[in-house]
Amino acid sequence: MKIDNSKELFSKAQKFIPGGVNSPVRAFKSVGGDPLFIKSAKGAFMYDADDNEYVDLINSWGPMILGHSHPDIEGAVAEAIKSSLSFGAPTEKEIIIAELICKMVPSVEKVRMVNSGTEATMSAIRLARGYTNREKIIKFEGCYHGHGDSFLIAAGSGAATMGVPNSPGVTEGVAKDTLTAPFNDLVAVKHLIESNPDNIAAIILEPVAGNMGCITPVEGYLQGLRSLCDQHGIVLIFDEVMTGFRLARGGAQELFNVSADLTTMGKIIGGGMPVGAYGGKREIMEFVSPVGPVYQAGTLSGNPVAMAAGYAMLSYLYSNPAVYEQLDATTKQIEAGFRDNLTKLGLDYTINQLGSMISIFFSNQKITDFESAKTCDTELFGKYFRGMLNEGIYLAPSQFETLFISTEITENLVQKIVDANYKVLQDIH
Ligand code: KE4
């Protein structure tokens, strides 16, 4: 496969951009090889700088659930840009999308738009701390909530379970207020709550984890967190930046019938434009400036062009709930094909799938948390990733990421993906 143009662009990019990329995972560091520079995309396909065609199974890390260049979204943006790009003043579009979000996610009574998932999660924990007047938060090992200091925390050692920074630049002062527990482990959470009486402001989690690969909550886990938060006055924050509007119109909350106190959103909400949001119970959201004391602001928050794209995306999903059955059915077909291939090849790797999220783990363990996810052979995954790329299938460049299937993946593309999976698994073993 000719990738000379990507190689040339990558060496030039590294002169002006750290690592040649504007987000680390794009650099292909954990899978080896140089990143491809993408020139365009349409429907299920992306095209790189050398005009190679790929079936896109990452879809910009989630936003492109309807595939690329969806006419409703492109039309809405084309219309919006005729009225200038930004005013820095309130617009009717912001009301319309806020109303629709509150309709789609019943636990969200009020919502504030921001510009990324990171901004949403940073704001949500500040709000939870301001609302409860408590300092600590609990997050889960392997869950990612963006690059806010409070989240770049590794599991503390032993009983302390106090967080330690896992990036230079994050201070001990910040890390001490982030407690960590294994995902899917309610007992560990109970222990943290007992060890920090009346001082835990929030529990934040991906209700279905995507940042360790796809990991679903075990039976009763979300409900258990809900009741612990009710008992102890803790704000339950569902980080639905990935799962929101992807697993159902109301996200994981609708699927598992568990309501969060605050929900953070991103990705799909912007239809491909930079949009994040946090929202939830009216009494909590009324603590947000200017109506309340918790400060949060943003020059381009609620940007009219981004709102137009996001509203077109959300209204399509709201009016076509059948897409979720379609996405689940397509992803289940892919899963069935992968399982078939593993059986034929005598391999016993683990596959986790829920809705349009799916991961193949190069491990024979049940993958239920970060510890089990870390048993994967990441080197072998790298070979798999590169092999699939050569077969024209663009996967997430990390074992610890989930794939996002779009509505543009048709039957014949399912077959192409499954055939490529068989060939590459055979080649690398
Ligand atoms: P952004 O700041 O990247 O918009 O959102 C941060 C974020 C928050 N919460 C969850 C559950 C997320 O998955 C993310 C971002 N996801 C990553 C994928 N692992 C985005 C890809 C990237 O970092 O380039």
Side-chain angles (χ1 to χ4, degrees), residues 172-234:
E172 300 293 338
V174 166
K176 70 176 176 42
D177 287 334
T178 299
L179 308 173
T180 63
F183 188 71
N184 271 327
D185 179 346
L186 274 179
V187 173
V189 177
K190 285 178 187 146
H191 168 76
L192 288 175
I193 293 172
E194 282 150 16
S195 330
N196 297 273
D198 300 328
N199 196 20
I200 294 176
I203 293 176
I204 183 168
L205 74 155
E206 298 174 57
V208 173
N211 287 288
M212 304 182 243
C214 177
I215 298 183
T216 53
V218 296
E219 186 69 34
Y221 178 62
L222 298 180
Q223 292 78 358
L225 290 175
R226 178 66 275 169
S227 54
L228 281 171
C229 287
D230 292 341
Q231 283 163 37
H232 298 278
I234 297 170

Side-chain angles (χ1 to χ4, degrees), residues 75-141:
V77 169
E79 190 52 35
I81 56 178
K82 290 178 192 164
S83 314
S84 180
L85 295 175
S86 182
F87 317 118
T91 64
E92 187 180 1
K93 284 191 174 78
E94 293 159 85
I95 305 170
I96 296 171
I97 194 171
E99 188 178 15
L100 180 55
I101 291 166
C102 294
K103 204 155 49 172
M104 292 175 83
V105 191
S107 67
V108 173
E109 295 174 323
K110 283 202 167 182
V111 59
R112 167 62 61 85
M113 307 310 287
V114 291
N115 300 284
S116 70
T118 293
E119 254 196 283
T121 54
M122 281 166 62
S123 308
I125 59 163
R126 179 185 309 133
L127 173 57
R129 285 173 163 147
Y131 174 71
T132 59
N133 197 20
R134 297 176 180 179
E135 291 170 352
K136 308 269 184 209
I137 64 162
I138 293 176
K139 78 170 288 289
F140 298 91
E141 292 142 37

Side-chain angles (χ1 to χ4, degrees), residues 301-327:
S301 297
N303 172 273
V305 179
M307 293 299 101
Y311 181 70
M313 169 65 88
L314 296 189
S315 38
Y316 184 94
L317 294 171
Y318 181 71
S319 324
N320 298 277
V323 297
Y324 295 104
E325 287 92 73
Q326 176 198 336
L327 286 165

Side-chain angles (χ1 to χ4, degrees), residues 69-80:
S69 308
H70 190 281
D72 289 17
I73 296 164
E74 297 215 330
V77 169
E79 190 52 35

